[in-house]
Amino acid sequence: MKILCDADFIVYKACAAAETEIDWSDDTILVTSSFNDAYNATKRELNKLQDQFGSFASLILFFSDSKNFRKKIMPEYKGHRNRKKPCGYKRVINQLKKEYEVIIKPTLEADDTMGIYATQHPGNIIASPDKDMRQIPGQVYNFDETFTITPEEGAKWHLIQTCAGDSTDGYSGVPGIGVKRAETLFNKEGYSWQTVVKAFTDKDLTEADALVNAQLAKILTADDYDFTKKRPILWNPRADYQIDDGTRSEVESVAG
């Protein structure tokens, strides 16, 4: 078994904690960092993670690429996250590459790369605190507990996130609908694309708006990636797309 680790947040947190500000004058503030402190903090977190599952489990570290395909869908995606990476971030990653298997795919976020790997190589465990990973079938450890996601549960969570949106990522979903209200809506009306579209149009939005949110919300799997062209396949539903009692209709996907 391999542990597929979302290492973005671990390295970011360790590097941010290792920064120190020196106030030289009214005009100058110098930010410094200790590479050793940042790297050792990262290693401690990775060792704790590996100890959680035993030394027999190997770690694969996943990082986001500097470019993001979702910005072609919506240029404002994660636009509010304009702070640069903390000092030493790239250097820590480069050092980790000498000790661990590190995977970064062009234009993909770490979530997507983990989703692709996990569905291409089932039987491993995803380690990530991000609720987005509830879309990916298999075992997920959220740094609190381990649980198993079925394909149907993953597909349902994607539709829930499409309607609920994600303010931290900058897409809004349906105004006034959060996760709980989305779950209530789908439990009443059924987990289908028609339910999604109606939720959007009831708020004077369009099916095109719904599709943008669905494509932004979708965490990629092996079926959503063109390995030859090395690019995502954007999610597109058939009009009759639905998830009922463990049975999911076929989904048409077109290259992005």
Side-chain angles (χ1 to χ4, degrees):
M1 180 184 71
K2 295 180 180 179
I3 305 169
L4 314 182
C5 176
D6 178 358
D8 266 340
F9 87 99
I10 291 176
V11 174
Y12 190 101
K13 182 173 66 174
C15 289
E19 286 186 339
T20 301
E21 290 187 357
I22 301 175
D23 192 344
W24 290 104
S25 67
D26 291 339
D27 294 329
T28 305
I29 298 175
L30 178 66
V31 178
T32 65
S33 177
S34 166
F35 170 76
N36 285 334
D37 286 351
Y39 192 72
N40 290 336
T42 299
K43 286 283 293 183
R44 283 195 298 271
E45 291 302 312
L46 295 178
N47 289 338
K48 283 167 56 179
L49 177 59
Q50 195 154 18
D51 289 344
Q52 180 77 19
F53 296 97
S55 58
F56 63 89
S58 59
L59 276 173
I60 302 179
L61 308 184
F62 294 81
F63 291 94
S64 299
D65 188 41
S66 58
K67 296 182 180 179
N68 193 321
F69 78 92
R70 288 181 174 84
K71 287 187 175 294
K72 290 187 177 181
I73 303 171
M74 187 179 77
E76 300 81 14
Y77 180 75
K78 288 189 174 179
H80 59 293
R81 297 189 185 185
N82 53 11
R83 185 186 186 277
K84 71 175 184 65
K85 293 291 193 294
C87 291
Y89 181 84
K90 290 184 178 179
R91 185 177 172 186
V92 168
I93 294 175
N94 288 333
Q95 184 63 32
L96 289 171
K97 290 178 180 178
K98 299 176 182 179
E99 297 189 51
Y100 299 91
E101 181 177 358
V102 171
I103 299 179
I104 304 171
K105 285 187 179 294
T107 77
L108 302 190
E109 298 181 56
D111 292 353
D112 299 302
T113 312
M114 284 191 295
I116 292 168
Y117 190 99
T119 50
Q120 188 181 20
H121 306 283
N124 298 304
I125 183 166
I126 290 172
S128 172
D130 196 327
K131 65 182 184 302
D132 291 347
M133 302 317 296
R134 289 178 60 181
Q135 293 184 32
I136 304 301
Q139 289 192 83
V140 177
Y141 173 61
N142 65 0
F143 289 82
D144 184 35
E145 60 179 339
T146 302
F147 48 90
T148 300
I149 303 295
T150 67
E152 290 73 30
E153 289 170 338
K156 287 180 177 181
W157 187 252
H158 171 232
L159 295 187
I160 289 169
Q161 286 199 289
T162 297
C163 287
D166 190 331
S167 59
T168 61
D169 286 343
Y171 65 96
S172 58
V174 180
I177 292 185
V179 169
K180 292 299 183 183
R181 289 193 64 181
E183 289 177 327
T184 300
L185 174 66
F186 284 117
N187 287 334
K188 179 182 178 182
E189 303 293 339
Y191 282 83
S192 70
W193 183 241
Q194 290 91 336
T195 301
V196 173
V197 172
K198 186 175 186 303
F200 275 82
T201 56
D202 282 350
K203 294 292 185 176
D204 296 324
L205 298 170
T206 67
E207 183 170 359
D209 294 320
L211 183 58
V212 166
N213 279 266
Q215 291 177 340
L216 293 173
K218 183 71 170 72
I219 302 302
L220 304 183
T221 67
D223 292 333
D224 306 311
Y225 190 71
D226 187 326
F227 289 90
T228 302
K229 297 180 180 179
K230 296 183 178 179
R231 67 181 188 183
I233 299 171
L234 299 185
W235 189 86
N236 278 274
R238 291 170 55 132
D240 60 352
Y241 178 82
Q242 60 183 0
I243 310 157
D244 291 318
D245 299 322
T247 302
R248 181 168 34 153
S249 70
E250 292 296 320
V251 179
E252 294 177 346
S253 295
V254 296

